[in-house]
Amino acid sequence: MSFVRHVMLRVPAGAARPGPAIGQALGPLGINMSEFCKQFNEKTDGLYEKNTPLGVQLSALSDRSFTFDVRSPPTSYLVKKAAGVTKGPAEPNPDKPSGYITPEAVYEIAKIKQRDSMRWHLPLKGIARSVVGTARSIGIHVKEAES
């Protein structure tokens, strides 16, 4: 039972189904897709809203077994959800933003991202700066809520 390789996947929370997207990644490794989907759906059922895209790092082992680590949703997904937009602009224009989020929303997104196993050691302020940069790149500005 030795390590074969890591595979990165993007899978909807609580709604993983054996299909082409998962099959192309897991098939060559000999991993049972339905078993992965069953375990993934059980693990993510209460974590996030159904169909929230989640990153998954799957480690395949030589005896066709596997382990996986569920990561938080992409920052861009969380920013767009907080801003209430479904899609960023085709060309971001700094003069005409496609939406706004508050610093409190940035802080909440940073706290979600800090729970990832690869970010636990990073300061919250640094993660928040990264969230602001992602928001800016998809045309969403950060500003205080108007009373």
Side-chain angles (χ1 to χ4, degrees):
M1 182 167 93
S2 62
F3 171 76
V4 176
R5 74 174 187 204
H6 287 295
V7 177
M8 295 299 296
L9 301 167
R10 175 91 24 101
V11 186
R17 287 183 215 93
I22 295 175
Q24 289 177 353
L26 303 185
L29 300 172
I31 293 174
N32 185 339
M33 288 185 289
S34 60
E35 182 62 29
F36 166 75
C37 291
K38 181 179 156 194
Q39 288 183 25
F40 177 81
N41 289 338
E42 287 173 3
K43 192 170 185 177
T44 61
D45 197 24
L47 289 178
Y48 295 98
E49 273 183 41
K50 193 171 180 111
N51 290 323
T52 300
L54 298 175
V56 178
Q57 181 177 14
L58 184 130
S59 301
L61 304 174
S62 61
D63 64 349
R64 296 184 176 206
S65 63
F66 60 90
T67 60
F68 64 93
D69 179 33
V70 178
R71 301 199 171 159
S72 61
T75 306
S76 59
Y77 172 83
L78 296 171
V79 168
K80 287 188 285 189
K81 187 174 176 187
V85 296
T86 56
K87 185 178 170 187
E91 295 178 21
N93 183 352
D95 300 328
K96 186 175 177 259
S98 61
Y100 295 98
I101 59 174
T102 63
E104 291 79 17
V106 170
Y107 177 72
E108 290 302 317
I109 293 169
K111 286 197 315 192
I112 290 169
K113 298 304 284 183
Q114 193 176 38
R115 289 187 291 209
D116 279 353
S117 60
M118 62 187 181
R119 290 190 184 94
W120 63 269
H121 64 286
L122 297 174
L124 195 58
K125 186 175 182 180
I127 298 171
R129 281 188 192 148
S130 174
V131 171
V132 170
T134 299
R136 188 176 301 134
S137 73
I138 57 176
I140 295 174
H141 288 197
V142 178
K143 73 173 192 175
E144 290 291 331
E146 296 172 3
S147 304

